[in-house]
Amino acid sequence: MAQSQSSPRSSHQMPDAFHWGVATSSYQIEGAVNEDGRGASIWDTYAHTIGKIKNGDTGDVADDHYHRYADDVKLMQSIGVTAYRFSVAWPRIFPNGTGTPNPQGLAFYDRLVDAQLSAGIEPFATLYHWDLPQALQDRYGGWQSRDTAKAFAEYAGYVASKLGDRVKHFFTMNEFYSFVDMGYQGIEIDVGAQKVRVELAPGLHVGPAIYQVRHNAVLAQGLAIQAIRAVVKAGTKCGPADNINSAVPVVNTPENIAAAQRATRELNAAYLTVMLEGAYTDAYLEAAGQDGPKVLDGDLKVIGTPVDFVGINVYRPSVYVIPSADAPGFKAIPFNASHPHMLSSWHLLGPEVMYWAPRQVRSLWGAKEIYITESGCGASDVISPDGRVYDSDRIMYTRNNLVWLQRATAEGVPVAGYFQWSFMDNFEWGDGYGNRFGLVYVDFSSQKRIPKLSASYFKAAAAANAPV
Ligand code: PNW
């Protein structure tokens, strides 16, 4: 007998109460950089430095979300979004980094959170998505100083004390490796066909001092977790949103799987590993030698402050590995020049990472709650003559990811939500507005929003609670 069309496909579904989210960040969408008392951030400075951003683009106007947030939240609701991960701009709250808070800045996030709650969308707030107050860069050298870590904890505690009556999930910082390594020394990524250099604000090259910058950043996360906990009610959760460096086994035998897991632990030694284990790995300290971080008494305890969940941004495998008889027991293999990629030069494909990354987070560190805080892709979207945007490649990318993620959840990996990067096209850092990541197309001259075909895909998947 033919199977009924409407028969439940529970074996393909995500867990109950799974969050179908979208993600954005303040500098990438808000605009209104001089309004309501906002201070300057390092991204204002960097984007206005000639030669740093393609086309000379800046976030001055971006998606004008600061003024259009109410319609944007309604649009989210219309495409089936049940959770929204936004970021709070530190320089709106503390224009000078520290000191007297700016009530008008906070009022914007109050309105934004209320709009989400009325639309039935669960707010997830990120406290740091790279827009450091310029004042702290000038005063302390930014993350080169522990003083910035202390300032972050104060800011985090303040925001949590104001939004914590309605926001139940706080992400401390977004992507340590990006804002530290790409911001303070710049990195080279081997993508097979070429090497690509990526640099972010503040665009410094600190040399061996990078170990200290990394240490200050994880210290900030630990201090912030403690500061948030001190002010929120029971049940409010917090943790990082990190771009895990994922080592993926090429051939899925037990030896390959074990080698990949060892590799992931070492490749994240500076961030997730030290935060979740409360200690640097021996290999990390050995490699650092004399340049290693200055660890003060009590630092590791702070850095290892237990978190309620682990957020991971998952775009691609960092490396494919095979086992090796030599220490450290794995070998990262090079990418073929023919390895397929999406629009961003760094964006190699490997959808199985969406299975291995959360699985390793659980098996390495025993995480009880995991969020995919970002996944998505840039694509060369255009408006068709019929007015629609047909991004079938983004749908292919997303479906493949969701299928692998569903496999992880079916095996008991506790993934509680998925956030698509991004809700709408926005300021894609060094690539400016030319690299579109949205489910919603934005015409930046008119600010018109056009949901892409991928938005229909997202809506259907969210409704089915499954990859469709
Ligand atoms: C993330 N990589 O950055 C950021 O959190 C977003 O703000 C950004 O817009 C989005 O991903 C797309 O780029 C990444 O080299 C930067 O693998 C670099 C990489 C991944 C993510």
Side-chain angles (χ1 to χ4, degrees):
M1 205 174 87
Q3 196 147 1
S4 141
Q5 287 273 305
S6 60
S7 68
R9 302 188 308 147
S10 57
S11 62
H12 298 282
Q13 282 185 309
M14 298 298 193
D16 289 346
F18 190 80
H19 294 285
W20 287 88
V22 291
T24 65
S25 88
S26 44
Y27 187 71
Q28 292 179 276
I29 64 166
E30 286 178 359
V33 292
N34 291 316
E35 274 176 64
D36 294 340
R38 176 187 180 276
S41 87
I42 56 171
W43 270 95
D44 296 298
T45 310
Y46 188 77
H48 280 274
T49 306
I50 289 170
K52 296 296 187 193
I53 313 292
K54 264 191 202 152
N55 281 322
D57 290 344
T58 74
D60 288 1
V61 178
D63 296 83
D64 194 33
H65 175 75
Y66 192 78
H67 300 115
R68 296 167 193 265
Y69 74 90
D71 286 344
D72 284 339
V73 169
K74 280 188 205 137
L75 186 55
M76 282 176 207
Q77 184 185 33
S78 77
I79 65 168
V81 167
T82 65
Y84 177 36
R85 173 174 175 247
F86 62 97
S87 87
V88 176
W90 185 347
R92 285 199 194 280
I93 310 295
F94 289 100
N96 290 310
T98 55
T100 315
N102 166 31
Q104 287 174 290
L106 184 77
F108 170 67
Y109 298 102
D110 268 329
R111 295 194 293 276
L112 178 62
V113 166
D114 290 344
Q116 290 173 65
L117 292 172
S118 351
I121 295 174
E122 184 71 30
F124 286 68
T126 303
L127 295 167
Y128 186 69
H129 201 125
W130 311 353
D131 41 0
L132 187 77
Q134 181 64 40
L136 297 181
Q137 197 68 47
D138 297 342
R139 209 180 315 153
Y140 301 139
W143 297 107
Q144 293 173 91
S145 165
R146 296 170 69 94
D147 289 322
T148 296
K150 290 183 202 149
F152 178 65
E154 275 171 43
Y155 150 72
Y158 176 75
V159 174
S161 75
K162 297 293 180 183
L163 300 184
D165 56 339
R166 288 153 291 158
V167 174
K168 292 189 226 141
H169 299 82
F170 288 95
F171 296 109
T172 51
M173 304 163 106
N174 180 69
E175 297 201 348
F176 292 82
Y177 183 66
S178 298
F179 76 84
V180 174
D181 292 77
M182 299 182 198
Y184 287 79
Q185 70 181 0
I187 59 153
E188 254 191 10
I189 311 178
D190 180 359
V191 293
Q194 50 167 332
K195 283 204 168 60
V196 290
R197 209 184 141 70
V198 189
E199 194 186 285
L200 299 171
L204 300 180
H205 303 96
V206 301
I210 194 72
Y211 287 100
Q212 195 59 43
V213 185
R214 293 173 179 166
H215 183 75
N216 296 337
V218 287
L219 185 67
Q221 129 92 21
L223 291 170
I225 296 276
Q226 297 183 354
I228 296 167
R229 292 247 169 83
V231 296
V232 293
K233 53 190 185 197
T236 305
K237 296 181 176 180
C238 48
D242 195 26
N243 49 333
I244 184 171
N245 256 316
S246 310
V248 169
V250 191
V251 182
N252 298 343
T253 62
E255 300 74 41
N256 278 262
I257 292 168
Q261 177 156 313
R262 275 197 296 282
T264 293
R265 179 166 176 268
E266 286 305 340
L267 292 174
N268 293 281
Y271 303 119
L272 280 179
T273 306
V274 71
M275 290 191 278
L276 298 173
E277 298 184 14
Y280 288 110
T281 67
D282 294 340
Y284 182 74
L285 292 177
E286 249 165 57
Q290 292 193 336
D291 299 327
K294 200 165 150 224
V295 181
L296 303 189
D297 271 359
D299 277 6
L300 290 170
K301 197 151 185 249
V302 172
I303 293 168
T305 305
V307 296
D308 298 299
F309 54 71
V310 179
I312 48 174
N313 295 355
V314 181
Y315 286 86
R316 51 162 280 192
S318 300
V319 284
Y320 284 107
V321 302
I322 54 174
S324 161
D326 304 326
F330 61 86
K331 178 180 161 57
I333 63 170
F335 286 100
N336 262 349
S338 56
H339 198 100
H341 62 90
M342 295 303 299
L343 190 61
S344 307
S345 51
W346 50 264
H347 202 173
L348 300 181
L349 295 179
E352 66 279 21
V353 67
M354 202 46 114
Y355 168 75
W356 292 105
R359 177 177 143 152
Q360 291 172 339
V361 167
R362 187 191 50 169
S363 53
L364 279 168
W365 301 303
K368 301 246 173 350
E369 190 168 326
I370 298 171
Y371 290 94
I372 304 301
T373 32
E374 284 179 27
S375 182
C377 61
S380 51
D381 305 314
V382 290
I383 304 178
S384 278
D386 66 3
R388 301 188 62 190
V389 179
Y390 296 110
D391 54 342
S392 55
D393 53 347
R394 179 173 291 104
I395 296 174
M396 171 190 73
Y397 175 86
T398 307
R399 178 189 292 115
N400 284 335
N401 279 336
L402 291 174
V403 166
W404 282 99
L405 183 61
Q406 196 278 333
R407 175 176 165 192
T409 64
E411 291 180 13
V413 179
V415 181
Y418 164 92
F419 294 85
Q420 179 89 22
W421 185 273
S422 182
F423 166 58
M424 57 184 166
D425 298 338
N426 58 48
F427 177 77
E428 175 54 16
W429 308 116
D431 282 355
Y433 295 100
N435 191 350
R436 298 173 176 273
F437 272 75
L439 295 176
V440 173
Y441 185 96
V442 177
D443 173 346
F444 292 103
S445 57
S446 66
Q447 292 294 345
K448 188 170 175 222
R449 274 80 162 132
I450 305 172
K452 304 175 191 176
L453 196 58
S454 56
S456 309
Y457 175 81
F458 183 93
K459 185 171 185 170
N465 196 32
V468 290

